[in-house]
Amino acid sequence: MAQAADDPAVAQLTQRLMAIQANPDAAQLAAFERLQAQQAVADLAKAKRRDLDQARYLAERRVEIAETSVRAALAQREVDQLERTRSELLIEASRRDAQRARQEAERLRVQAQIQAEESERLRQAAEQEALARQDAETALTSVAGKQTARLSAAQQNAAKLAREEAELVSGSKLPGSKFESRGEVFTFSGDAFAAGKGSLSGGAKGQAKALAEYLNIGKKGRVRIEAYDAAAGVGQQRAEALRDALVAAGVSASRLQVSGKKAAATKARSAEVIIAP
């Protein structure tokens, strides 16, 4: 009935556990599995001869499980770090692209302003002769149209890059948008609010967070929030809830105006956020 304390497996397994503990990167990992392994080795050291094979097998398996768990945890830690690095690189690249696009849009804006001033000077000079004025205005209209188209394309490209950056930073998708005479209009669909309720749904809160990032990246103008519901007062509650979500995400409250509309919300539209041009 001798015990197995002098079994060489005890020393070997103990040494393997000590190697895990000695690794500063692994010392805090798989604590439960290492505790089970230590207990199994301790049980092996106290095992009677008749129980020796079973105790040794159990101790070896527990130590293997602890080692495997530590390796898996280290690998997962490395994967998480790589993923964080990748996300940071993507965000930084998006920011650089957005900055270049904003600079190009500003250059074209200044160029368009200079072109418009020159156009006015030529128009006034051409008033001395009707035919010359007509020819000059035709040429200038063509130039101004091309310049306006280029400026619009640059601004839309800048907005596209800003949307991508906002979605990367916030981790959520922006609501659908389009450019109108009112400005850039973001539309929240009917499921942004529960029926007859004024509070935002979980998905709409994520969209509001992404929209706040977008507003803070490059859009500095005033913003109007319009919300709809057939019930009295619900449209106003929805507009205020959307405003509060944007303010909580970092948008200055002084930029935001709210308006509740007593009109039925649809599946496609329950609220709109209009960014002034």
Side-chain angles (χ1 to χ4, degrees):
M1 301 300 288
Q3 292 184 334
D6 57 348
D7 191 327
V10 174
Q12 293 173 358
L13 295 174
T14 300
Q15 186 174 7
R16 287 165 64 182
L17 289 175
M18 292 176 64
I20 296 175
Q21 186 66 29
N23 184 350
D25 293 330
Q28 303 302 321
L29 301 177
F32 179 70
E33 289 80 359
R34 288 190 290 113
L35 180 61
Q36 286 185 315
Q38 291 169 357
Q39 184 62 51
V41 172
D43 291 343
L44 172 60
K46 295 184 296 182
K48 306 299 182 181
R49 185 179 301 277
R50 65 175 180 272
D51 301 325
L52 186 59
D53 290 341
Q54 181 178 356
R56 184 184 301 112
Y57 175 81
L58 180 59
E60 289 175 349
R61 296 289 82 75
R62 290 296 188 186
V63 171
E64 287 177 3
I65 290 171
E67 291 172 335
T68 301
S69 298
V70 167
R71 287 195 296 271
L74 287 172
Q76 184 61 49
R77 178 186 291 175
E78 184 175 355
V79 168
D80 293 343
Q81 180 59 42
L82 290 173
E83 184 61 27
R84 286 193 296 271
T85 301
R86 174 180 176 274
S87 297
E88 291 170 359
L89 290 174
L90 287 174
I91 291 172
E92 181 60 28
S94 178
R95 284 174 175 165
R96 287 198 299 269
D97 290 343
Q99 179 63 24
R100 285 194 293 268
R102 288 193 290 270
Q103 290 173 350
E104 177 65 9
E106 178 62 18
R107 185 186 69 81
L108 290 174
R109 186 193 68 78
V110 173
Q111 184 177 346
Q113 182 177 352
I114 294 172
Q115 189 73 33
E117 292 172 356
E118 180 66 11
S119 297
E120 178 63 18
R121 186 186 67 79
L122 292 175
R123 189 191 65 79
Q124 291 177 357
E127 286 179 352
Q128 297 176 4
E129 184 177 348
L131 182 58
R133 183 179 68 242
Q134 182 179 358
D135 293 340
E137 287 178 346
T138 300
L140 292 172
T141 300
S142 176
V143 171
K146 292 178 181 178
Q147 191 65 33
T148 300
R150 291 177 61 194
L151 176 59
S152 176
Q155 289 174 333
Q156 292 198 25
N157 185 44
K160 176 178 178 293
L161 292 172
R163 284 195 293 270
E164 293 174 353
E165 180 181 347
E167 289 177 346
L168 280 172
V169 172
S170 66
S172 300
K173 290 290 185 181
L174 284 161
S177 67
K178 59 183 177 181
F179 287 90
E180 300 178 355
S181 59
R182 297 181 294 169
E184 189 174 10
V185 181
F186 286 84
T187 302
F188 286 76
S189 61
D191 60 3
F193 303 89
K197 302 295 183 181
S199 57
L200 288 166
S201 66
K205 289 179 180 178
Q207 290 182 324
K209 182 179 179 183
L211 182 54
E213 290 290 346
Y214 179 75
L215 291 171
N216 287 330
I217 286 169
K219 293 290 185 177
K220 304 303 182 185
R222 296 189 66 80
V223 180
R224 181 172 180 81
I225 302 168
E226 295 182 356
Y228 307 85
D229 194 83
V234 175
Q236 184 69 22
Q237 293 174 8
R238 291 180 171 183
E240 291 173 354
L242 190 49
R243 176 200 60 195
D244 293 343
L246 293 175
V247 171
V251 180
S252 172
S254 63
R255 296 176 58 191
L256 306 176
Q257 296 178 336
V258 297
S259 176
K261 305 289 186 180
K262 188 178 179 182
T266 66
K267 182 178 181 180
R269 184 197 70 177
S270 61
E272 291 180 332
V273 178
I274 304 124
I275 305 171

